[in-house]
Amino acid sequence: MKIGIITGASSGMGKEFVKLTMSEQLNLDEIWVIARRKERLEAWQKHYAEQTFRVLALDLQKEEDMERLRKELEETQPEISLMIHCAGFGIMGRIDEIPAEEQMEMVDVNCRSVVELTTMFLPYMEKGGRMIYMASSAAFLPQPGFAVYSATKAFVLSFVRSLRAECRESNLGITVVCPGAVKTEFFKRAAEQKHLPAYKKMVMSDPKKVVRKAWRDNIAGKEISVYGKPMKLFHTASKVLPHKVFLHFMGRQK
């Protein structure tokens, strides 16, 4: 059985990736959609009757849910042609303003799940299969007011780049996506009690365009996908200028 797996498939970037996957007509036997909200996942089958979806309403923070996914793989023994990992979240605010429990949840979902899912999926990946991971331009340098989130995305960027090098012989197409602010529920949650900094509002992107570029970059074999000229400039500048310059500027933003 040839399958695709998309995490965070109920909203935001994951939702857009499901739509794009369907438009590409990849002839997958099943698409496994993973997220916590079951009713949203079930809507995919109603919308695309021609494609078989396996709905997995899982919380990636819960070990029992990860074990359920592991058993699904063992029982099905699928060949994974496409894996897109979009699950993750961020909370804005100073470190001393965010409850420690919520900060640990960010680390758990944004970092641990990436490692655990990757090691779970790799034995089933098709040679020449494709893997796309959502990170963020926040991975490029530390961000005051978004400290834990930016650190978790730096972890994802580093992890995926290493994974790509390790999987070279398997001919896997692995890309890490690093957009700036995107118009999704993610930023609505992230900024629930905080106003978005002005520099993030200035570069807010359309999720459909970010996803389309990520797809093209993965097909082209690119390691990192960065959408838009402002973010590409930011990426380049973050490698050239001292981080303290950016930290000074961002620290002054409300």
Side-chain angles (χ1 to χ4, degrees), residues 20 27 32 85 87 96 107 117 147 172 189 227 248 251 253:
L20 185 59
N27 295 318
W32 292 16
H85 186 43
D96 58 2
V107 174
L117 289 175
L172 292 176
R189 177 181 181 183
Y227 174 80
H248 176 73
Q253 300 298 303

Side-chain angles (χ1 to χ4, degrees), residues 7-226:
T7 72
S10 64
S11 63
M13 305 300 286
K15 183 177 180 180
E16 293 303 326
F17 268 115
V18 174
K19 293 178 181 177
L20 185 59
T21 299
M22 288 303 304
S23 71
E24 291 295 312
Q25 300 180 341
L26 301 179
N27 295 318
L28 299 170
D29 295 306
E30 287 186 352
I31 297 178
W32 292 16
V33 284
I34 299 173
R36 290 182 299 173
R37 292 173 284 192
K38 185 177 181 180
E39 67 285 353
R40 289 196 179 188
L41 297 179
E42 289 176 338
W44 287 122
Q45 191 63 76
K46 297 174 183 176
H47 194 65
Y48 295 106
E50 71 277 14
Q51 174 67 59
T52 300
F53 288 88
R54 185 172 300 206
V55 170
L56 297 168
L58 305 175
D59 184 341
L60 300 184
Q61 293 183 75
K62 295 180 179 179
E63 187 51 43
E64 59 266 30
D65 283 8
M66 296 296 270
E67 184 59 30
R68 179 185 159 196
L69 177 57
R70 191 175 288 108
K71 287 182 179 178
E72 289 275 353
L73 290 167
E74 291 173 354
E75 292 172 4
T76 308
Q77 290 293 309
E79 185 176 55
I80 303 175
S81 178
L82 175 68
M83 192 289 295
I84 303 174
H85 186 43
C86 295
F89 76 98
I91 300 174
M92 289 182 177
R94 290 167 52 93
I95 294 172
D96 58 2
E97 295 175 341
I98 304 172
E101 181 180 353
E102 292 184 356
Q103 297 190 60
M104 293 304 101
E105 287 177 358
M106 272 192 282
V107 174
D108 197 40
V109 175
N110 296 353
C111 298
R112 184 198 54 78
S113 74
V114 170
V115 177
E116 188 167 2
L117 289 175
T118 299
T119 55
M120 194 186 301
F121 294 153
L122 275 177
Y124 301 95
M125 287 300 302
E126 171 186 73
K127 190 167 185 179
R130 299 164 59 193
M131 306 177 81
I132 299 174
Y133 293 81
M134 283 303 306
S136 168
S137 61
F140 301 150
L141 49 78
Q143 292 199 18
F146 223 8
V148 176
Y149 177 77
S150 61
T152 63
K153 292 306 178 180
F155 173 91
V156 175
L157 176 59
S158 178
F159 176 80
V160 175
R161 294 181 75 181
S162 296
L163 174 69
R164 179 183 166 96
E166 290 182 3
C167 294
R168 192 170 290 123
E169 292 182 2
S170 300
N171 197 32
L172 292 176
I174 304 175
T175 301
V176 58
V177 187
C178 297
V182 184
K183 295 177 184 176
T184 65
E185 289 181 23
F186 172 91
F187 268 97
K188 183 178 179 181
R189 177 181 181 183
E192 209 160 37
Q193 297 178 342
K194 297 284 179 181
H195 291 295
L196 275 178
Y199 61 86
K200 289 187 182 294
K201 292 180 181 178
M202 291 170 59
V203 295
M204 192 73 72
S205 302
D206 180 342
K208 293 181 178 65
K209 294 179 179 179
V210 174
V211 163
R212 281 198 292 268
K213 185 175 191 310
W215 191 271
R216 291 195 302 269
D217 287 344
N218 182 257
I219 291 174
K222 292 186 179 181
E223 179 180 70
I224 302 175
S225 178
V226 181

